[in-house]
mmCIF file of all heavy atoms in Angstrom:
data_model
loop_
_atom_site.group_PDB
_atom_site.id
_atom_site.type_symbol
_atom_site.label_atom_id
_atom_site.label_comp_id
_atom_site.label_asym_id
_atom_site.label_seq_id
_atom_site.Cartn_x
_atom_site.Cartn_y
_atom_site.Cartn_z
ATOM 1 N N ALA A 245 22.272 -11.064 20.646
ATOM 2 C CA ALA A 245 23.428 -10.664 21.447
ATOM 3 C C ALA A 245 24.616 -11.584 21.150
ATOM 4 O O ALA A 245 24.467 -12.786 20.967
ATOM 5 C CB ALA A 245 23.085 -10.718 22.928
ATOM 6 N N THR A 246 25.813 -10.968 21.100
ATOM 7 C CA THR A 246 27.061 -11.728 20.889
ATOM 8 C C THR A 246 27.889 -11.632 22.165
ATOM 9 O O THR A 246 28.589 -10.634 22.393
ATOM 10 C CB THR A 246 27.849 -11.151 19.699
ATOM 11 O OG1 THR A 246 26.991 -11.092 18.555
ATOM 12 C CG2 THR A 246 29.057 -12.015 19.369
ATOM 13 N N PRO A 247 27.789 -12.627 23.027
ATOM 14 C CA PRO A 247 28.436 -12.519 24.349
ATOM 15 C C PRO A 247 29.960 -12.515 24.306
ATOM 16 O O PRO A 247 30.599 -12.104 25.284
ATOM 17 C CB PRO A 247 27.915 -13.760 25.098
ATOM 18 C CG PRO A 247 27.540 -14.730 24.028
ATOM 19 C CD PRO A 247 27.093 -13.910 22.863
ATOM 20 N N ASP A 248 30.566 -12.952 23.212
ATOM 21 C CA ASP A 248 32.030 -13.025 23.168
ATOM 22 C C ASP A 248 32.677 -11.806 22.518
ATOM 23 O O ASP A 248 33.849 -11.838 22.134
ATOM 24 C CB ASP A 248 32.472 -14.293 22.431
ATOM 25 C CG ASP A 248 31.905 -14.359 21.014
ATOM 26 O OD1 ASP A 248 31.038 -13.524 20.693
ATOM 27 O OD2 ASP A 248 32.334 -15.248 20.242
ATOM 28 N N ALA A 249 31.911 -10.713 22.361
ATOM 29 C CA ALA A 249 32.476 -9.487 21.793
ATOM 30 C C ALA A 249 31.819 -8.277 22.457
ATOM 31 O O ALA A 249 30.663 -8.331 22.876
ATOM 32 C CB ALA A 249 32.270 -9.446 20.282
ATOM 33 N N VAL A 250 32.585 -7.162 22.556
ATOM 34 C CA VAL A 250 32.092 -5.924 23.174
ATOM 35 C C VAL A 250 32.361 -4.775 22.229
ATOM 36 O O VAL A 250 33.440 -4.690 21.623
ATOM 37 C CB VAL A 250 32.797 -5.663 24.532
ATOM 38 C CG1 VAL A 250 32.331 -4.333 25.115
ATOM 39 C CG2 VAL A 250 32.521 -6.796 25.515
#
Side-chain angles (χ1 to χ4, degrees):
T246 307
D248 57 350
V250 177

